Amino acid sequence: IPIGEALQILQNETKSKRLKKALSKIIERVLEGERLEKGFEKHPQIFDRFFRSIIRVGEESGTLEENLRYLALQLRKDYELKREITGALLYPSLVMIVAVVIIFVVMFFVLPRIVPLFQALQSMGIAGDIPFATKLLISLSSFLKKFWFLFILAFPALIFLFLILQKIPFIKWYFDKMSLSLPFGGEISRNLNLARLSRNLSTLLKSGMPLLESLELVAVSLPNEMYKKNVMKVWTGVERGEKISSGLKKIPKHFPPIFSEMILVGEKTGSLEESFFYLAEFYEREVDSSLKNISSIIGPLLLIIIGIFVIFIAVSTIIPIYRFIGEIRVR
């Protein structure tokens, strides 16, 4: 099927209005004789530089069909990885939502009905001093009742502030550096970047792109600023005539020995893209395994925290009630 006709079929099939509109303009350009990559270039929000570069190499080398197949595999792997991350975070997120609902119900519906009873009994001289835990709970309830709107505004404000700060280069670099040092998330962040680097380099090299251009493109596509900087260091070394493995060995903190050794094997045997493909599969499995482990730990941990909070509320309300009943019996 000619490219123009294939694009028209895709345009008819897609449900996305944005993509349909973009394909309409691309079809016009292709039918006028323009290259496919040039048509995609007019829509960078949909077709990123990585995508366009593989299309360009395919058109220049006559391997467009193969390169599209590599892109399809790349996009499918990216989608599966995002789905695994979303799935791993789903259960802890649900538990946190339940915890917030419980706190909301207790603070705004349960405590306001119990607190007047305590205060009335105290004013009548029936009850003694209220326990510290109960006083703390009453104070917290009163504070939330007065300033509840601050908590509603704080959450979106913090998200907005974080997104703004992420756009400032030096702050994003600091956040990305810190993410690699987190007790649990650091290893996942490292493996995610190694998986993305390996998958992208494998795809680019298989598509026929030169090594230096591939490294530059991969550096742009990586989510972590530290890894972007490190890949550009490797790029500088390769430009001077060094091997990739030599550059990677200079940064053992972010590229473990198994990674650089596998690349060295690929360089010696002339199968560098296959080595990157194997590493991509390996680190994607590592990310999947880590996410499942963290999900299985965080869920029960959050349940324990909720349980402790519920017990604290129960103890804070039941103890003074029993004390009041005991004093009434004595009198």
Side-chain angles (χ1 to χ4, degrees):
I1 300 177
I3 290 176
E5 188 179 341
L7 290 171
Q8 284 173 344
I9 293 170
L10 293 173
Q11 185 191 16
N12 294 332
E13 288 295 320
T14 183
K15 295 178 181 179
S16 168
K17 292 181 180 179
R18 186 184 177 195
L19 183 57
K20 192 184 285 288
K21 187 178 178 181
L23 286 173
S24 177
K25 293 179 180 179
I26 292 167
I27 289 167
E28 289 177 12
R29 293 177 177 277
V30 169
L31 293 177
E32 289 172 0
E34 201 169 63
R35 278 169 43 179
L36 186 61
E37 186 262 336
K38 291 295 181 182
F40 287 147
E41 195 176 37
K42 303 295 181 181
H43 307 278
Q45 291 84 9
I46 300 175
F47 308 100
D48 60 18
R49 186 182 170 191
F50 178 86
F51 188 99
R52 300 195 307 269
S53 298
I54 292 180
I55 299 297
R56 173 175 57 79
V57 172
E59 288 181 308
E60 290 174 353
S61 61
T63 58
L64 184 58
E65 183 183 346
E66 283 297 313
N67 286 15
L68 286 169
R69 188 176 290 115
Y70 296 145
L71 268 176
L73 176 64
Q74 173 81 20
L75 291 170
R76 181 169 63 83
K77 287 291 184 181
D78 285 347
Y79 171 73
E80 287 175 354
L81 196 58
K82 287 177 183 176
R83 190 175 61 181
E84 287 169 3
I85 293 171
T86 305
L89 296 176
L90 182 61
Y91 176 61
S93 300
L94 288 174
V95 173
M96 286 188 71
I97 290 169
V98 170
V100 170
V101 170
I102 290 172
I103 292 170
F104 179 83
V105 170
V106 169
M107 292 298 178
F108 290 92
F109 294 99
V110 178
L111 283 179
R113 296 188 179 188
I114 298 175
V115 170
L117 173 64
F118 293 160
Q119 292 172 343
L121 290 171
Q122 258 196 323
S123 62
M124 293 167 61
I126 297 174
D129 291 333
I130 296 175
F132 174 75
T134 309
K135 288 181 180 178
L136 181 64
L137 202 60
I138 292 170
S139 301
L140 185 60
S141 176
S142 301
F143 178 79
L144 289 175
K145 200 172 180 180
K146 288 180 182 178
F147 303 103
W148 58 270
F149 57 92
L150 292 178
F151 290 89
I152 293 175
L153 295 174
F155 186 68
L158 285 172
I159 294 175
F160 180 74
L161 180 63
F162 178 76
L163 293 174
I164 293 295
L165 291 175
Q166 278 285 87
K167 292 181 180 180
I168 302 172
F170 78 93
I171 294 179
K172 187 179 187 310
W173 182 86
Y174 179 78
F175 280 163
D176 288 345
K177 182 181 179 181
M178 188 172 61
S179 72
L180 294 170
S181 306
L182 295 173
F184 297 107
E187 185 180 356
I188 293 177
S189 180
R190 186 195 72 169
N191 290 341
L192 268 172
N193 281 276
L194 291 174
R196 173 66 66 86
L197 183 151
S198 304
R199 178 70 63 186
N200 288 0
L201 269 177
S202 173
T203 303
L204 290 168
L205 293 174
K206 281 182 179 178
S207 70
M209 187 172 288
L211 180 58
L212 276 172
E213 190 177 352
S214 297
L215 284 169
E216 185 184 0
L217 271 175
V218 165
V220 174
S221 70
L222 291 175
N224 190 287
E225 292 295 326
M226 291 291 292
Y227 274 90
K228 284 183 182 180
K229 183 179 177 182
N230 289 330
V231 171
M232 288 312 297
K233 284 181 182 178
V234 175
W235 180 88
T236 304
V238 172
E239 192 182 33
R240 291 199 301 261
E242 291 182 6
K243 292 182 178 181
I244 298 179
S245 55
S246 301
L248 294 174
K249 286 179 179 179
K250 294 176 183 177
I251 321 169
K253 185 178 179 181
H254 296 134
F255 298 97
I258 187 174
F259 192 91
S260 53
E261 289 299 328
M262 279 296 301
I263 300 306
L264 180 60
V265 170
E267 287 172 327
K268 286 181 178 179
T269 58
S271 58
L272 192 56
E273 65 272 14
E274 292 300 325
S275 294
F276 278 120
F277 180 82
Y278 171 81
L279 285 167
E281 294 285 318
F282 172 77
Y283 282 106
E284 283 167 4
R285 285 195 298 270
E286 287 292 300
V287 170
D288 183 35
S289 176
S290 298
L291 286 172
K292 286 178 180 175
N293 290 337
I294 284 184
S295 179
S296 62
I297 292 170
I298 289 178
L301 185 63
L302 287 172
L303 286 174
I304 291 169
I305 293 170
I306 293 171
I308 291 170
F309 178 74
V310 170
I311 291 169
F312 172 74
I313 292 171
V315 169
S316 301
T317 53
I318 291 171
I319 286 177
I321 289 172
Y322 272 107
R323 184 182 291 178
F324 296 156
I325 292 171
E327 291 190 11
I328 290 170
R329 284 178 178 174
V330 169
R331 295 192 181 193

